Amino acid sequence: MLITDKMKQFIFITFTLFTLGFSLTEKRVVEIQFDQLFQLQQLVEMGIDLDHHRTLTEVHAFVTDAEFKQIQQMGFEIKEIPNQAKLYFEELKKSPLGSANPMEDYHDYNELTAFMQDIANSYPDITRLESIGQSVQGRELWVMEISDNPGVNELEPEFKYVANMHGDETVGRELSLYLIEWLVDSYGNDPRATDLINNTDIFIMPTMNPDGFENGSRYNAHGTDLNRDFPDQFSDPNNSTLGREPETRAVMEWSWGHNFVLSANMHTGALVANYPYDGPSSGVYSACPDDELFIHISLAYADAHPNMESGGFSNGITNGAQWYSISGGMQDWNYIWEGDCDITLEQNEVKWPNSNQLAGLWEEHREPMLVYLEEVHDGVRGIITDEDSGEPLSANISVQGIDHDILPDPENGDYYRMLTPGTYTITAQAFGYLPQSETVTVPLSGYVEQNFQLNVDPWLSEADIEDFEIGVFSDLGWSFSGNANWQTDNSEVFEGNYSGKSGSIDDNEQSTVSITLDVVEDGQIS
Ligand code: ZN
């Protein structure tokens, strides 16, 4: 058969429409039975979306028709179950909403926006409303900052709560609004709220996935699970926003503009506090270097809840991977790349409960949410400066015995290292400075202060330094090779105004910079 150009075009267009239609098809909710943990890992390796519900013999998941068949062929018992969240969503859509009273209905996007704007207008001295970006369908990604000096980077730890990244997990979305309202209402009346707001920079994001909520779906409007879209230490160790969803990019860039110390993201579908790491193998405990700290802060939440300990998990907490492994989750990203201790809170077995339960859920979760927020003040903190100039330094803070360093806030040099009570050796180290170590004892509650004034390493005063600050590569005898030359750059810097940057290259290309030095006497090259 002859295929004319017109026919090709026709074939191409139908194909495009077909793929578009397919990708937007809602996945089915299923229950899959298994006997052995390795079978759970088989499901993880298939790349299907496992849901939060899992026991020793069954797990819930979202699957396409093709995945359904494949799982069946692998010998699993699999059956479709009702999508409770979707059913309640349909019911809500039928009933007239329009009430901005958080005691009654869920806030849809417009009501949530109005609620946030109303709070910002009523409490301008202690709040600042910001949109950190837009969702796929153009909805604002609202963040409420609550602080005694909103918008000012103070010498205080920064904390964040992020909710509703799974659009059909709605409890945290409403609890966020309750918490915002409680904090601003109680400021000046309740000593606890006043203390928190005076001494903490609090950020609350009620929904990271407004499109998902509006569509009654776990996924964003591109059909992506946002809690699988972050850089991952095992499968995607590239801390870049390239190729990620707009909602993920917005959260990453917002986090880069801050120095968050502690955070949590709120989900539903189980009742448990889940802490890093989330991978690599399901059913196998995967401890991060701060395991003891994560257990401590997760227990703080669970212990303050009236019945979290009866949610089917020992003491109401679990290691992420031991429960079921995921890749691209937000909590591991926060911890590994941002130095921010993040846990995943599963706040209710039912994903999208009837709105008449919300007031009761707030009663249960208020104390845990406050206790967890207060944890940000525990550990060791201080300011790192240059001994001579008093200028803040971007020094590395390490704790002997815990292989996880953190950085201070670059603007003020203030650092917050969360630690469980005990005695520790802390070292501050900055390039060109002599490292300084101190022994501190973290009290049972609260923090110990330890400042560092670092001295310039005498070696540095005699050295020739290339800092690219003259804006061209001419200071030393650099040579270039490969497909593109290196350049100096003033858009991204470590310090000063310039940095060195590789040329722009494609796959299988190179951009090389090198230098040959004649060493005439003993010394160091660094
Ligand atoms: Zn979730």
Side-chain angles (χ1 to χ4, degrees), residues 214-234:
E214 227 64 22
N215 301 324
S217 166
R218 171 187 185 86
Y219 304 98
N220 80 344
H222 284 152
T224 299
D225 185 332
L226 297 177
N227 206 27
R228 308 288 185 277
D229 194 38
F230 282 83
D232 185 90
Q233 62 177 327
F234 303 110

Side-chain angles (χ1 to χ4, degrees), residues 431-432 459-469 475-476 478:
F431 176 72
W459 158 78
L460 195 71
S461 55
E462 293 169 16
D464 278 326
I465 299 169
E466 171 65 277
D467 56 10
F468 311 115
E469 286 299 309
D475 209 5
L476 301 175
W478 298 102

